Amino acid sequence: MVNPYGMEIEELVISFEGVEYGLLEFTLALGEQTYSTRFSEVWDPIIRFKKWLEAISIGVHQCSFWFDTEGSDICFSMERRYCADEAIFKVTYAYEDDEVRLIGKVNPKQLVVAFYKGFLGFWESCPDFEDEWLGESLEDRLRKTRLASAEEIAQLHRLNRSELIDLLDKAYPIDPSIVGRLAEEAHSAFSEGGVWEIPVDYDDLTETDRKEWLKDVLTVNRDGFQGTPLSELRSEIIDRFIANDSKSQVPGDDL
């Protein structure tokens, strides 16, 4: 195994390949070493990742964070050395410390900045992030496409079945050549993602039953993704650490 203790401090660099099907792919580079991995929304690690960055920010001597990539359990660990500006960063398999994938000496603040600003910047710049990580409900879609305001959504139960089908097909348009055949077969409104099972007798339902049906349909996550919004990475603890120009104390330095 590489001995990192005599190494010079190197800058951690993170690059993002994108997010698709609930998998957020990224690559870490430390000097000449690189390691590619991913976060999975199925085993959503965002809050634990945030807590790890906060632990580093408040000066915890040694801390680790592990996550399931949907294939491997990976561990990021950081151990401070003899001063506040020096630490060993290591990437291993979560249950096999000797299986080192990347290791080196870093500045803890630079590491936090790289991860924190890197992930927030990716979220802000990636147009597919919401659809591929957070998923989307029908209510989200109607608001995003400006097909219905919050007030209009609250009154959707007043639409008849035909009007509702028209609205859903505008929200999720597909090839018009197949809409007629499919709708005739399933008596439903169709979208890119599948079928909205609007009851054939929808027009005969009571107002209460329509509201109950719409309540379920409007809130269901049509994509199935349920990842934590990266906006929740924002942390006053981390922001203060990054903004503070003075050297942070290693626990025990002032004893």
Side-chain angles (χ1 to χ4, degrees), residues 157-170:
H157 62 279
R158 298 186 182 279
L159 298 182
N160 62 35
R161 187 174 187 275
S162 178
E163 292 168 334
L164 194 56
I165 288 174
D166 288 343
L167 180 64
L168 296 179
D169 285 338
K170 287 177 182 176

Side-chain angles (χ1 to χ4, degrees), residues 13 21 47 65 73 92 110 120 132 163 205 210 217 242:
V13 177
Y21 304 123
I47 298 303
F65 151 72
D73 290 343
T92 64
Q110 191 276 318
L120 288 177
E132 298 291 338
E163 292 168 334
L205 297 180
R210 287 192 190 191
V217 171
I242 292 173

Side-chain angles (χ1 to χ4, degrees), residues 148-160 163-164 167 202 207 210-211 214 218:
S149 65
E151 293 76 14
E152 290 169 330
I153 290 172
Q155 299 299 317
L156 285 184
H157 62 279
R158 298 186 182 279
L159 298 182
N160 62 35
E163 292 168 334
L164 194 56
L167 180 64
Y202 182 82
E207 181 176 303
R210 287 192 190 191
K211 286 181 177 180
L214 284 165
L218 285 167

Side-chain angles (χ1 to χ4, degrees), residues 14-19 24-27 39 114-123 125 230:
I14 304 171
S15 57
F16 294 88
E17 284 70 61
V19 58
L24 196 167
E25 310 272 354
F26 59 97
T27 297
F39 284 172
F115 275 123
Y116 185 63
K117 292 191 174 181
F119 273 83
L120 288 177
F122 170 71
W123 160 59
S125 64
L230 284 189

Side-chain angles (χ1 to χ4, degrees), residues 161-162 164-165 168-169 178-190 194-203 213:
R161 187 174 187 275
S162 178
L164 194 56
I165 288 174
L168 296 179
D169 285 338
I178 66 172
V179 170
R181 175 178 59 79
L182 294 175
E184 183 178 347
E185 291 175 359
H187 306 286
S188 305
F190 280 75
V195 184
W196 300 103
E197 296 288 356
I198 305 176
V200 177
D201 62 346
Y202 182 82
D203 292 341
W213 183 85

Side-chain angles (χ1 to χ4, degrees), residues 67-175:
F67 57 98
D68 188 334
T69 68
E70 287 192 54
S72 300
D73 290 343
I74 300 300
C75 179
F76 291 170
S77 63
M78 195 219 69
E79 179 184 359
R80 291 180 187 270
R81 298 305 295 158
Y82 305 110
C83 66
D85 294 336
E86 183 179 307
I88 302 302
F89 172 61
K90 184 166 62 173
V91 179
T92 64
Y93 290 122
Y95 308 110
E96 301 174 33
D97 283 346
D98 58 334
E99 290 288 334
V100 177
R101 318 312 297 172
L102 181 147
I103 189 169
K105 190 180 291 185
V106 298
N107 176 295
K109 181 176 287 189
Q110 191 276 318
L111 177 142
V112 169
V113 169
F115 275 123
Y116 185 63
K117 292 191 174 181
F119 273 83
L120 288 177
F122 170 71
W123 160 59
E124 292 169 351
S125 64
C126 179
D128 297 326
F129 184 81
E130 290 191 5
D131 292 345
E132 298 291 338
W133 181 264
L134 302 179
E136 181 185 62
S137 68
L138 173 57
E139 183 171 357
D140 293 334
R141 182 73 170 187
L142 291 175
R143 292 185 180 186
K144 188 184 300 183
T145 57
R146 299 184 178 180
L147 286 170
S149 65
E151 293 76 14
E152 290 169 330
I153 290 172
Q155 299 299 317
L156 285 184
H157 62 279
R158 298 186 182 279
L159 298 182
N160 62 35
R161 187 174 187 275
S162 178
E163 292 168 334
L164 194 56
I165 288 174
D166 288 343
L167 180 64
L168 296 179
D169 285 338
K170 287 177 182 176
Y172 300 101
I174 60 168
D175 183 351

